[in-house]
Amino acid sequence: MAKKKTRYVCTNCGSVSSRWLGRCPQCGEWNTMTEETVEPEAPKAAQSMARSGPASQAASLADIAMEDMARMETGIGELDRVLGGGIVPGALILLSGDPGIGKSTLVL
Ligand SMILES: [Zn+2]
């Protein structure tokens, strides 16, 4: 969430400043700057990514039809089991672990 911004507006002439000033630089009046809260506008990127279409509904796992995807077996039984039967085409797999644990060896 974007941070709210404050600005100071002169009640005499409408001059705007980002910080409080005792004397308005525009009209020269004293103690006329009043604080206003400015709602930040959503960035243009966020507006362009606004959701469209019907809202998503929560569903029970039992109600979700499992698609049988073609999987590429690695030949390493334990790895295939962890991956749910093998690597799904187009899948991204994050492999992490302590240094020296064998991540590179496993990938090779
Ligand atoms: Zn002023």
Side-chain angles (χ1 to χ4, degrees):
M1 181 165 166
K3 189 180 152 192
K4 282 187 178 180
K5 287 184 172 180
T6 57
R7 66 179 190 172
Y8 298 89
V9 180
C10 176
T11 54
N12 189 43
C13 71
S15 171
V16 179
S17 171
S18 60
R19 61 187 176 97
W20 186 86
L21 298 166
R23 185 180 186 208
C24 175
Q26 195 79 32
C27 65
E29 289 294 317
W30 289 92
N31 298 321
T32 56
M33 303 300 280
T34 55
E35 186 176 350
E36 279 185 2
T37 307
V38 181
E39 286 293 329
E41 288 181 30
K44 289 206 184 305
Q47 289 172 352
S48 68
M49 292 172 65
R51 291 175 188 212
S52 59
S56 299
Q57 295 288 320
S60 170
L61 284 177
D63 297 339
I64 298 171
M66 292 295 287
E67 217 176 298
D68 210 14
M69 303 283 293
R71 293 178 183 269
M72 187 183 87
E73 290 185 19
T74 62
I76 305 168
E78 202 53 22
L79 180 61
D80 285 339
R81 188 183 67 79
V82 166
L83 296 175
I87 298 172
V88 175
L92 176 75
I93 300 162
L94 175 66
L95 179 65
S96 67
D98 291 329
I101 205 166
K103 298 178 295 294
S104 300
T105 305
L106 180 66
V107 172
L108 286 170

